[in-house]
Amino acid sequence: MTSTVDPVSLPQRTASNDTEIDREALARLLIEIARNVDPDYRARFDGVPTADPRMETLRQLLVSREISELSRVTHLLDEPEQLAAAVGGVLPSAAARASHAQLGEALAPAVERAVQRSIQKSPRTLTDILYPVFLPAIRKSIGEKIDQTFQSLNETLRHIFTWHGLKWRFESWRTGASFSSVVLKHSLIYRVEHVFLINRNSGLLIAHVTADNATSEDPQLISSMLSAIQDFVKDSFNEKEQSGLDTIRFGDLRLWSEVGPFATLVSVIRGNPPEELHEIVRDVLLRIHAECSQALEQFDGDSSQLAGVEAQLQTCVELKQEESNQGFPWLVVAAALLVLIPAGGWFFLSWQSGQRWHAYVSRLETQPGIIVAEQKIRGGQFYIAGLRDPLAADPQSLLSGTQVDPARVHSQWQFYQSLEPEFVLKRLTASLAPPDTVRFSIVDDRIVAEGEAPDTWIDRARAAARQLSAGGPEFDISKVRDVSPEARAAERWQAYVSRLGTQPGIIVAEQKIRDGQFYIAGLRDPLAADPRALLSGTQVDPARVHSQWQFYQSLEPEFVLKRLTASLYPPDTVRFSIVNSRIIAEGEAPDTWIDRARAAARQLSAGGPEFDISKVRDESPEARAAEHWQYYVSRLEAQSGIIVAQQAARGGHFYISGLRDPLAADPQALLSGTGVDPARVHSQWQFYQSLDPKFVVKRLTASLTPPKSVRLSIIQGRIVAEGEAPAAWINRAQAAAEQLSADGVVLDVSQLRELDLAELNHLRQAIQTTDIFFSSGKVVPGPEQTPVLDRLADQIKEFAQDARKSGVTARFMLTGHSDATGRETANASISAARAETVRALLKKRGVAPELLLVRGAGTFEPAVPENSQTGSSTNRRVSVTVNLD
């Protein structure tokens, strides 16, 4: 839609200072828009209407926000305080984005004037600011100067009286240098072998330089371990962050550490370096920081921007001082000998006297009844005091042979009664006056009285036993017998009755003592010993003994043997003996006597001993040969794997045939010792496989080759396999059992267990789910990981022991991990160092080092993604993997 309205001529107006907008142009624009919106509006104007609501509304709709912002900015520029606050809010970010060179040039004059005015106004403020920085440096410088002074003094004194010392004095006079500096120049022998430049924040190796013919392990690993030692000392002793180890000594090697703002320089020195070497190393470190400060601060493992550092470090490894020959300090040795020989003689005599005295005291302390309470040596005199039993040895007499002068010994002894058994025994002997029939002895710290004594003495002894002090030895009088006539007679009678009870063929049914007379009754075999004759030697009066015995035939083997011998009259070639309550006849006899003996064996009373005549042989040659042959056949039939099918004796020759297992004994070899002539034996054996369990076991062992953990045994005719074995071997054994079952042989494999380590799985899972965590850039775990390491060490030791019992060997892989911060090469090195640190800590807790393997995985095996909330802290860890061999 097009408007036909003519343009309106507006008067010229100056732009407002408030908004700086061309109001005339804006008014023209708004009127044109209004005419196009309402074509019917045809009114003509000589100028802009003084008030048009629609125009004002349109203006607010289009540019109200811009007008408001322009008004706020104009007001801000007109107010200095608000403008300063606004500029201060954006100044830091602007300075950060500015060029360093331009910013430094712009700020240098202002900063210099501000610092100068601040120092003129208040010098103490700058002193307080620089005090924490200068004080450690001053303290370290003073310490090094003190060490240098003592080193110089020590070397000067060591060479002052030597031939080289005289030469060096001449050199000092000739060159004008001090004698101590000349001594240090010739005597301090050292060589700088390695120099490491290590980043302070991450512990990563920046550069490493090695002297000629010097060897070492992986420099990155050494750098990681040095950083780990620094962190360990700081964490263990709560040291400040800016402090650190400056000297480590290991044998002939010294590690000197100089700390800079961004890097630490570690020198490995062999020998005895001068203290001035600190200044040289420190100057090298300062030059490196001056030339490469920005690259050192931003170092992330890439040393390409620090290529010139190794040239600076090379000046350190070139520092050394060759060894020079030194003379022997004869003058010092001679002077020392003049002083030491008399002093040594005096000390030796004093020591020898003290040793003799202590030998005497030790001799006293071993004496029963003597207690040494106090002993000392003072002013060449010996003093001793204690307790002594009057019955103990005399301490003065014990001085003999000790070479201790009795005149120098001052002793003070208090008497007491010792409770040692030998002294208590002496007092009991003196107080009780035991008769000659009583004997005292000491058995296991007890005083034992044995023998015979009157009842009055026994009563006194019992009273003395009750009165002994508590804690002393026991006085046992239970073995002292009453020697009164009645007691002695009763004792002798009981000994006689006991003697009768042990006699075969005599049974004591009743015995008693009444009115001084002895009565006894029972049963007696006529062949048994005479009870009256047994009274001899018992001291029992036969006139006081009244006995009543009933005769009977005893079935004890010795009496039956006597009756058989009397009735059968065995020939000299037959021998009777008693074996396990059986009467056995052995030898050779005529068949008539053998028949009589068999009849006598049948006639023996029931319940009596057996009469065995099976070992009596018929003494005819034919019978003897037949007997020998039957013995051989019986011997064959008893052999496993041999089956006798037929045997016969014909025409003085012996014939035998049957089956024989190849694993069975050789029948021909079994003829030895049987008395059968091998030339008269004709045998025919067919080979077969015996199903006897012991032969089957041999074949199974040869075919199955069971492992050491499996045992084959024969139980009640069954072959039983027990133990643990792999599943494949168990399947082979089950197949063999099925084949044998068809032949009637049982192979029981039900007690075989598959080799399974299921009982270790719980402990294995607990070990593999344990992780040791580290702080960023650290290779030593924090103190919060100590309980985890203690528990892990106990679990590893328990698992290794249980696995060994199960027949397997456990190995534990310690894998170090790192987060994704920094370069990958640095992460791989720090992960390996973390694994090595955990290995050392586990070894310290008793884990065998041969069980532990280590590797560094870097960032390649993260536990969680790095972009997760806990990714970095969770991935800085050492994990454990259990392997079984």
Side-chain angles (χ1 to χ4, degrees):
M1 176 167 46
T2 305
S3 175
T4 60
V5 180
D6 296 333
V8 180
S9 298
L10 296 176
Q12 298 294 329
R13 300 181 63 180
T14 305
S16 172
N17 292 332
D18 295 336
T19 62
E20 294 184 358
I21 297 176
D22 188 352
R23 291 182 177 273
E24 181 181 351
L26 180 61
R28 291 178 183 277
L29 175 63
L30 294 177
I31 292 172
E32 186 66 23
I33 292 173
R35 287 173 177 173
N36 283 286
V37 171
D38 188 2
D40 296 333
Y41 187 52
R42 300 293 184 180
R44 296 188 179 271
F45 298 93
D46 295 333
V48 178
T50 57
D52 190 340
R54 293 184 300 173
M55 297 301 104
E56 183 64 23
T57 302
L58 182 60
R59 185 174 73 89
Q60 292 295 330
L61 290 174
L62 293 177
V63 293
S64 62
R65 184 171 178 272
E66 286 77 4
I67 293 172
S68 176
E69 289 294 324
L70 289 173
S71 298
R72 187 180 65 79
V73 172
T74 303
H75 179 71
L76 181 67
L77 294 174
D78 292 341
E79 295 292 334
E81 292 182 358
Q82 295 185 11
L83 180 61
V87 171
V90 299
L91 184 59
S93 59
R97 291 184 175 89
S99 172
H100 290 287
Q102 295 177 357
L103 183 63
E105 293 175 359
L107 293 179
V111 172
E112 290 174 356
R113 288 194 299 270
V115 172
Q116 183 178 6
R117 291 174 183 174
S118 176
I119 294 174
Q120 291 174 352
K121 183 179 179 181
S122 178
R124 184 175 180 83
T125 302
L126 184 62
T127 303
D128 294 339
I129 293 173
L130 297 179
Y131 176 80
V133 179
F134 284 165
L135 183 62
I138 294 171
R139 185 186 301 115
K140 183 175 182 180
S141 178
I142 293 174
E144 290 178 359
K145 289 299 180 183
I146 292 174
D147 292 341
Q148 180 180 348
T149 302
F150 277 108
Q151 186 181 44
S152 175
L153 179 61
N154 181 49
E155 295 297 327
T156 301
L157 292 177
R158 193 158 66 92
H159 297 92
I160 194 169
F161 293 111
T162 64
W163 170 248
H164 286 285
L166 296 178
K167 289 197 305 181
W168 295 342
R169 282 194 179 276
F170 176 75
E171 182 181 348
S172 172
W173 171 79
R174 182 173 55 82
T175 60
S178 64
F179 175 66
S180 60
S181 62
V182 175
V183 170
L184 292 179
K185 183 181 76 171
H186 289 285
S187 61
L188 296 185
I189 308 303
Y190 70 94
R191 178 195 182 196
V192 180
E193 294 189 350
H194 300 272
V195 179
F196 298 86
L197 188 64
I198 304 170
N199 187 272
R200 282 192 63 186
N201 295 327
S202 64
L204 298 177
L205 180 65
I206 299 173
H208 167 239
V209 177
T210 305
D212 296 337
N213 300 327
T215 59
S216 68
E217 298 297 332
D218 182 11
Q220 181 64 54
L221 180 59
I222 296 174
S223 171
S224 301
M225 294 309 294
L226 288 174
S227 300
I229 293 172
Q230 292 273 6
D231 296 340
F232 173 75
V233 174
K234 290 178 183 178
D235 296 341
S236 300
F237 303 102
N238 297 323
E239 285 295 313
K240 298 180 180 178
E241 183 64 29
Q242 63 268 23
S243 61
L245 291 175
D246 57 7
T247 301
I248 301 175
R249 183 169 182 175
F250 185 79
D252 197 31
L253 288 178
R254 297 172 189 253
L255 274 70
W256 281 7
S257 175
E258 293 296 338
V259 180
F262 307 115
T264 301
L265 195 151
V266 180
S267 303
V268 180
I269 308 169
R270 185 178 299 277
N272 185 20
E275 293 296 329
E276 293 90 340
L277 193 61
H278 279 291
E279 293 294 336
I280 300 175
V281 176
R282 193 177 297 120
D283 290 342
V284 173
L285 183 61
L286 291 176
R287 287 199 302 272
I288 292 174
H289 275 80
E291 296 174 2
C292 310
S293 177
Q294 184 176 357
L296 290 174
E297 182 180 6
Q298 300 175 357
F299 181 74
D300 60 351
D302 183 8
S303 59
S304 60
Q305 299 181 2
L306 297 167
V309 170
E310 292 189 358
Q312 296 283 358
L313 298 180
Q314 188 66 35
T315 60
C316 292
V317 298
E318 293 174 356
L319 298 173
K320 62 181 179 179
Q321 184 161 305
E322 301 296 339
E323 185 176 3
S324 62
N325 295 327
Q326 296 182 359
F328 190 77
W330 294 106
L331 296 178
V332 176
V333 172
L337 289 176
L338 290 176
V339 175
L340 292 177
I341 288 176
W346 181 80
F347 277 113
F348 174 75
L349 293 177
S350 300
W351 173 83
Q352 188 180 48
S353 178
Q355 290 297 109
R356 292 170 180 171
W357 168 251
H358 288 302
Y360 169 65
V361 173
S362 300
R363 186 177 180 186
L364 279 180
E365 289 174 341
T366 60
Q367 290 295 318
I370 293 180
I371 299 176
V372 177
E374 183 182 4
Q375 63 88 16
K376 59 185 177 181
I377 305 173
R378 188 175 62 230
Q381 303 293 311
F382 306 105
Y383 298 88
I384 191 167
L387 304 175
R388 172 179 170 247
D389 191 289
L391 299 176
D394 184 5
Q396 201 69 18
S397 65
L398 294 175
L399 280 171
S400 176
T402 61
Q403 297 183 357
V404 177
D405 185 5
R408 298 167 61 194
V409 177
H410 308 277
S411 58
Q412 187 176 3
W413 299 102
Q414 299 292 332
F415 286 114
Y416 83 112
Q417 280 195 351
S418 174
L419 293 180
E420 294 188 23
E422 52 263 42
F423 295 104
V424 176
L425 176 59
K426 290 180 180 179
R427 292 189 181 89
L428 285 175
T429 303
S431 61
L432 292 178
D436 296 338
T437 55
V438 174
R439 183 178 68 261
F440 284 172
S441 60
I442 298 174
V443 179
D444 296 332
D445 292 332
R446 297 164 56 246
I447 300 174
V448 178
E450 298 177 281
E452 297 177 346
D455 52 1
T456 56
W457 188 90
I458 294 176
D459 293 338
R460 287 173 52 218
R462 289 196 180 99
R466 290 191 296 268
Q467 292 173 0
L468 281 181
S469 303
E474 178 188 354
F475 183 29
D476 183 5
I477 60 172
S478 60
K479 295 184 179 181
V480 178
R481 299 184 300 278
D482 189 352
V483 294
S484 59
E486 294 79 8
R488 186 173 298 176
E491 184 178 347
R492 293 169 180 169
W493 170 252
Q494 289 301 326
Y496 170 66
V497 172
S498 299
R499 187 177 180 185
L500 281 179
T502 60
Q503 292 294 316
I506 294 179
I507 300 175
V508 177
E510 183 182 3
Q511 65 87 18
K512 59 184 177 181
I513 304 173
R514 189 174 63 233
D515 298 331
Q517 302 295 311
F518 305 105
Y519 299 89
I520 191 167
L523 303 176
R524 171 178 170 249
D525 190 286
L527 298 176
D530 184 4
R532 181 67 57 172
L534 293 175
L535 280 170
S536 175
T538 61
Q539 298 183 359
V540 176
D541 185 5
R544 299 167 63 189
V545 176
H546 307 278
S547 57
Q548 187 176 3
W549 300 102
Q550 299 293 330
F551 288 112
Y552 83 111
Q553 278 195 354
S554 174
L555 294 180
E556 293 186 20
E558 53 263 41
F559 293 104
V560 175
L561 177 59
K562 289 181 180 180
R563 294 189 180 92
L564 285 174
T565 303
S567 61
L568 291 177
Y569 300 107
D572 296 338
T573 55
V574 174
R575 182 178 67 258
F576 285 172
S577 61
I578 299 175
V579 179
N580 296 329
S581 299
R582 296 165 60 243
I583 300 173
I584 297 177
E586 298 176 283
E588 298 177 348
D591 53 358
T592 55
W593 187 91
I594 293 175
D595 292 339
R596 287 173 53 218
R598 289 196 182 98
R602 290 191 295 269
Q603 292 173 2
L604 282 180
S605 302
E610 177 186 355
F611 182 31
D612 183 4
I613 60 171
S614 61
K615 295 184 178 182
V616 178
R617 300 181 300 276
D618 189 347
E619 59 186 4
S620 61
E622 295 77 8
R624 185 174 299 174
E627 183 179 352
H628 291 168
W629 171 250
Q630 290 302 323
Y631 170 71
Y632 170 64
V633 172
S634 300
R635 189 175 182 184
L636 282 178
E637 290 174 340
Q639 291 294 319
S640 301
I642 294 180
I643 299 175
V644 177
Q646 185 178 5
Q647 63 88 16
R650 187 171 60 248
H653 287 262
F654 305 103
Y655 302 88
I656 191 167
S657 62
L659 302 176
R660 172 178 170 246
D661 192 287
L663 298 175
D666 183 6
Q668 199 71 17
L670 292 175
L671 279 170
S672 176
T674 60
V676 178
D677 184 6
R680 300 167 61 191
V681 177
H682 309 277
S683 58
Q684 186 176 6
W685 301 103
Q686 299 292 329
F687 286 113
Y688 84 112
Q689 280 196 351
S690 172
L691 295 180
D692 188 281
K694 58 185 176 183
F695 293 107
V696 177
V697 166
K698 290 182 180 179
R699 294 189 180 92
L700 286 174
T701 303
S703 61
L704 293 179
T705 315
K708 294 181 180 179
S709 56
V710 173
R711 182 177 68 258
L712 296 177
S713 57
I714 301 172
I715 301 176
Q716 296 179 353
R718 297 162 59 247
I719 302 173
V720 178
E722 300 175 285
E724 295 182 345
W729 191 91
I730 294 177
N731 293 334
R732 289 173 53 211
Q734 289 173 345
E738 293 174 359
Q739 293 176 359
L740 288 173
S741 62
D743 298 328
V745 179
V746 177
L747 172 58
D748 184 2
V749 296
S750 62
Q751 299 187 36
L752 282 176
R753 300 184 305 277
E754 185 177 346
L755 189 61
D756 187 13
L757 303 176
E759 60 249 336
L760 294 177
N761 285 342
H762 178 71
L763 186 56
R764 183 180 189 176
Q765 184 178 5
I767 293 174
Q768 295 190 151
T769 55
T770 300
D771 289 328
I772 309 300
F773 295 99
F774 297 76
S775 299
S776 178
K778 305 294 184 181
V779 296
V780 175
E784 72 278 1
Q785 297 298 314
T786 299
V788 181
L789 286 167
D790 294 338
R791 182 173 66 255
L792 179 61
D794 294 337
Q795 290 174 343
I796 287 177
K797 290 186 285 186
E798 181 183 355
F799 188 94
Q801 184 178 4
D802 294 345
R804 197 178 302 111
K805 292 179 181 177
S806 301
V808 295
T809 301
R811 295 284 188 273
F812 304 89
M813 176 64 73
L814 305 177
T815 304
H817 306 268
S818 67
D819 54 23
T821 304
R823 294 177 60 84
E824 189 57 46
T825 55
N827 291 332
S829 298
I830 200 171
S831 65
R834 286 169 176 166
E836 286 288 351
T837 302
V838 172
R839 180 186 185 187
L841 293 173
L842 291 176
K843 178 182 177 182
K844 183 179 179 181
R845 285 165 171 79
V847 178
E850 63 269 16
L851 301 180
L852 302 177
L853 307 175
V854 297
R855 72 183 185 96
T859 60
F860 294 107
E861 299 175 9
V864 297
E866 277 291 325
N867 55 6
S868 64
Q869 185 175 2
T870 61
S872 296
S873 61
T874 304
N875 290 333
R876 294 191 299 267
R877 75 194 196 282
V878 169
S879 61
V880 186
T881 305
V882 182
N883 299 317
L884 297 176
D885 298 334

